[in-house]
Amino acid sequence: MKQYKRSFRFVLGGEDRKIAEELLALQGFSWEQENFFSASCRLVEEPFSLGSSLAGFFGLIYIQDRASMLPPVALAPRQGSFVLDMCASPGSKTGQLAQIVGEHGFVVGNEVSPPRLATLRRNLQQMGLFQAASCCFEGQRIALPDGFCEYIQLDPPCSGWGTVEKNPKVLQMWKEEKTLPLVSLQKELLKNAARMLKPDGVLVYSTCTTNIEENEEQVRFALEELGLELEKLPVLPEFVMDEPLLGMEGVWRLSPRMGDTQGFFVARLRKKTGEIFCGEEEKIWGEPLSRGYVRELGISEKYLEYGDIAVFKDSLHFVPHQAKKLPQNFAWQGMYMGKAGKLREIQLSPRVRMAGDLPCVQFEGRDGIEKIKGLLSGQSLACDYKEKNVLMAWNGLVLGRLKVKNKRLVWSER
């Protein structure tokens, strides 16, 4: 049996996770459970690319290096809280943080690059994380008020020396003399993070490099210049940690270990003093759909417990209730849910898994897997449904929505 060291995490929990596990196992995959984060697993058998599995296609799992999962574990935001991820794409940590805070929480992932922002938004939608939103600012100029954030994740651009296994040329590309602009940017990002943090708020600073100037020396800058305090992180038996540098006990420092994990650095910082943002009256952006219209779309009203579904010009997005506390001039976007045409003619994305009062096509076992694969490859199935859309489920787990065309079921993302 060939052993694999690739890591991934399940996006779903509870009974839904059990069904996702069965789906993955029937396609030939096996894995080992990790202890440091309950959703994290390591592959044992990978008969074909994990990303091409049905669980990967429908966002039931997310492929992520195990060391990359450490910063959200270190931040440990409480359920229902607000988190800002300052440098978010492709969305690995943003999605993980959204899992941690739960459906009543709210995570905003920021990404300055428009192409990378599109990747972030696509990944969050694929995972169905409606409690996550996105914005597009230079991290050092994110214009949230002083003392607004209870939790901040800062994983800034870095030299990436810890990714040498995947990127063998990284040490040549980022020699020490070339890292000075990165070090300067990291300081600016830290300054803005400290400004936005509430008193007693928590900031996790992390990088995928082993360069002391981008790691321990930046933490020392935060301690000496920004008034933050270092909090000691617990020992994790699953990881081989390096000895701390600069006498900085309580940080996580990992060197890259071939076939095991990439290099990473993680530090947890707390702000003790400062101003608290007092808040404003709640505001709603866009035009929220009525409960009746939500039902007509085949979406359960229970999701309105977490936020509104609103039309923004020509598209439909989810608006978490906590988002209404963001400043009026702060531009952001909730999870994309579909297109909105004239006379509120809405076409939901087939990836909207929010099950409501619609017929549901149930697929089961290996035969069901083959039929779903056929639909994804452009095949269709005969049906007698009069509705324009129906839900698609495997063993009771809703995966998405199928269109009904000429008495045929089709999968279409157009």
Side-chain angles (χ1 to χ4, degrees):
M1 181 184 294
K2 188 175 180 180
Q3 298 293 317
Y4 290 84
K5 293 294 185 180
R6 296 184 75 193
S7 300
F8 69 98
R9 56 181 168 81
F10 283 96
V11 174
L12 306 174
E15 291 301 314
D16 287 345
R17 170 169 170 173
K18 292 180 182 178
I19 299 172
E21 288 179 343
E22 184 180 356
L23 178 62
L24 202 58
L26 281 178
Q27 288 200 277
F29 296 89
S30 64
W31 57 89
E32 298 171 340
Q33 174 68 52
E34 297 249 58
N35 293 320
F36 75 96
F37 184 58
S38 61
S40 176
C41 299
R42 304 184 78 182
L43 277 174
V44 174
E45 287 190 89
E46 187 179 17
F48 56 93
S49 172
L50 181 61
S52 298
S53 67
L54 290 184
F57 179 84
F58 288 109
L60 311 181
I61 61 170
Y62 189 92
I63 300 169
Q64 184 176 357
D65 189 272
R66 61 198 298 260
S68 173
M69 299 185 207
L70 288 176
V73 170
L75 189 62
R78 59 179 176 79
Q79 283 208 338
S81 60
F82 169 68
V83 184
L84 172 65
D85 187 354
M86 291 180 65
C87 304
S89 189
S92 306
K93 300 175 189 66
T94 311
Q96 187 181 352
L97 288 165
Q99 284 182 250
I100 294 171
V101 301
E103 294 173 330
H104 285 286
F106 184 39
V107 179
V108 175
N110 176 67
E111 175 55 50
V112 65
S113 162
R116 288 172 58 82
L117 177 67
T119 299
L120 168 67
R121 289 173 172 168
R122 184 169 58 250
N123 284 337
L124 294 176
Q125 186 211 18
Q126 187 169 348
M127 289 183 280
L129 296 170
F130 57 78
Q131 67 270 44
S134 57
C135 59
C136 185
F137 298 97
E138 291 184 325
Q140 64 273 37
R141 293 181 177 85
I142 297 175
L144 288 173
D146 294 1
F148 186 87
C149 302
E150 185 176 3
Y151 297 97
I152 295 178
Q153 169 69 60
L154 174 55
D155 193 84
C158 71
S159 57
W161 291 359
T163 65
V164 65
E165 182 177 8
K166 294 179 181 178
N167 306 296
K169 296 182 179 179
V170 70
L171 297 177
Q172 292 299 317
M173 290 172 57
W174 289 103
K175 294 182 178 180
E176 289 197 34
E177 63 271 15
K178 293 184 178 181
T179 62
L180 293 178
L182 291 175
V183 171
S184 177
L185 174 60
Q186 291 158 4
K187 281 186 167 62
E188 294 302 310
L189 291 167
L190 275 166
K191 287 178 185 177
N192 199 30
R195 178 192 66 78
M196 292 185 289
L197 204 59
K198 288 181 179 180
D200 208 38
V202 177
L203 162 68
V204 161
Y205 176 85
S206 60
T207 73
C208 58
T209 188
T210 54
N211 181 6
I212 187 173
E213 291 185 346
E214 299 175 71
N215 292 336
E216 285 87 354
E217 289 191 7
Q218 295 290 31
V219 172
R220 185 166 63 182
F221 165 75
L223 302 180
E224 295 177 354
E225 303 294 331
L226 303 179
L228 302 180
E229 296 184 2
L230 183 65
E231 293 196 333
K232 188 174 182 179
L233 291 169
V235 174
L236 296 181
E238 299 94 331
F239 292 86
V240 178
M241 298 289 183
D242 296 348
E243 289 295 320
L245 304 178
L246 300 182
M248 203 161 283
E249 299 284 346
V251 300
W252 289 335
R253 167 178 269 278
L254 290 80
S255 292
R257 297 175 62 84
M258 297 301 177
D260 182 23
T261 186
Q262 66 184 42
F264 235 87
F265 175 85
V266 184
R268 192 175 202 263
L269 302 157
R270 188 178 291 273
K271 183 176 181 179
K272 289 299 182 182
T273 61
E275 298 295 325
I276 299 178
F277 177 68
C278 296
E280 305 173 3
E281 292 185 6
E282 291 191 356
K283 305 175 183 65
I284 296 178
W285 293 261
E287 182 184 359
L289 300 183
S290 67
R291 287 183 174 271
Y293 205 130
V294 169
R295 286 196 303 272
E296 286 180 29
L297 291 173
I299 297 174
S300 172
E301 288 182 64
K302 73 176 184 180
Y303 293 101
L304 299 181
E305 176 186 348
Y306 311 116
D308 295 308
I309 299 171
V311 174
F312 294 76
K313 295 182 179 179
D314 59 354
S315 61
L316 194 69
H317 297 268
F318 196 84
V319 182
H321 288 317
Q322 287 202 48
K324 301 170 190 177
K325 299 179 182 178
L326 290 170
Q328 185 82 49
N329 61 351
F330 185 79
W332 62 280
Q333 184 179 106
M335 187 188 77
Y336 175 76
M337 295 185 65
K339 299 177 181 178
K342 294 180 179 179
L343 300 176
R344 197 182 273 180
E345 190 176 303
I346 291 172
Q347 297 181 40
L348 281 183
S349 164
R351 290 186 176 275
V352 174
R353 298 201 294 260
M354 300 172 174
D357 188 17
L358 276 181
C360 185
V361 184
Q362 294 281 354
F363 298 98
E364 296 181 353
R366 296 182 187 276
D367 180 62
I369 288 175
E370 293 306 312
K371 288 181 179 179
I372 293 172
K373 287 167 62 178
L375 286 166
L376 298 183
S377 66
Q379 298 176 20
S380 64
L381 294 174
C383 74
D384 292 321
Y385 296 112
K386 296 179 180 179
E387 292 82 0
K388 293 182 179 180
N389 298 277
V390 297
L391 300 172
M392 173 176 60
W394 186 83
N395 281 15
L397 175 63
V398 174
L399 301 176
R401 293 162 185 258
L402 297 171
K403 288 185 178 180
V404 179
K405 292 184 177 181
N406 301 319
K407 294 188 177 182
R408 307 287 296 184
L409 293 173
V410 297
W411 171 268
S412 175
E413 297 201 59
R414 294 183 179 179

